[in-house]
Amino acid sequence: EERKQVINNIYTKLIENNYKVLNINFEKINDINSFYRFLIELTPLLKEAGIKTVVTYNKFMDEEKVSKIVDYLVKDE
């Protein structure tokens, strides 16, 4: 429920401000499975609105899994 509320808040702010890209960059992720679920729920909603989802990759993520969910995966070096 909290995740859905966060997703709706993000979506609303992006639409209100006419953003075309959302870059998600976390240095540390406590619950990686919840993060994947967050991306799975957020990305299609943004795609519908024409907004690209970009995730900055870090060592906690499964690169292949994330790259299949989002529009772009950027490696932070």
Side-chain angles (χ1 to χ4, degrees):
E1 188 61 35
E2 186 178 335
R3 181 174 55 241
K4 288 183 186 224
Q5 194 172 20
V6 169
I7 288 169
N8 286 334
N9 288 342
I10 291 170
Y11 177 79
T12 301
K13 291 295 180 188
L14 292 171
I15 295 299
E16 286 176 355
N17 293 294
N18 291 322
Y19 287 115
K20 298 297 178 198
V21 177
L22 172 66
N23 182 14
I24 301 169
N25 184 355
F26 292 110
E27 290 187 22
K28 186 170 186 219
I29 301 168
N30 293 329
D31 184 349
I32 194 69
N33 290 323
S34 287
F35 177 69
Y36 295 146
R37 188 78 228 152
F38 171 75
L39 293 177
I40 288 168
E41 292 176 18
L42 177 66
T43 302
L45 184 64
L46 297 184
K47 276 186 183 183
E48 256 182 45
I51 300 169
K52 301 289 184 191
T53 307
V54 179
V55 170
T56 301
Y57 173 80
N58 69 40
K59 64 184 177 190
F60 301 104
M61 296 177 202
D62 179 333
E63 181 178 357
E64 185 177 334
K65 190 175 206 170
V66 174
S67 67
K68 289 179 182 177
I69 300 169
V70 300
D71 296 302
Y72 300 101
L73 183 65
V74 178
K75 290 192 176 186
D76 189 18
E77 297 182 33

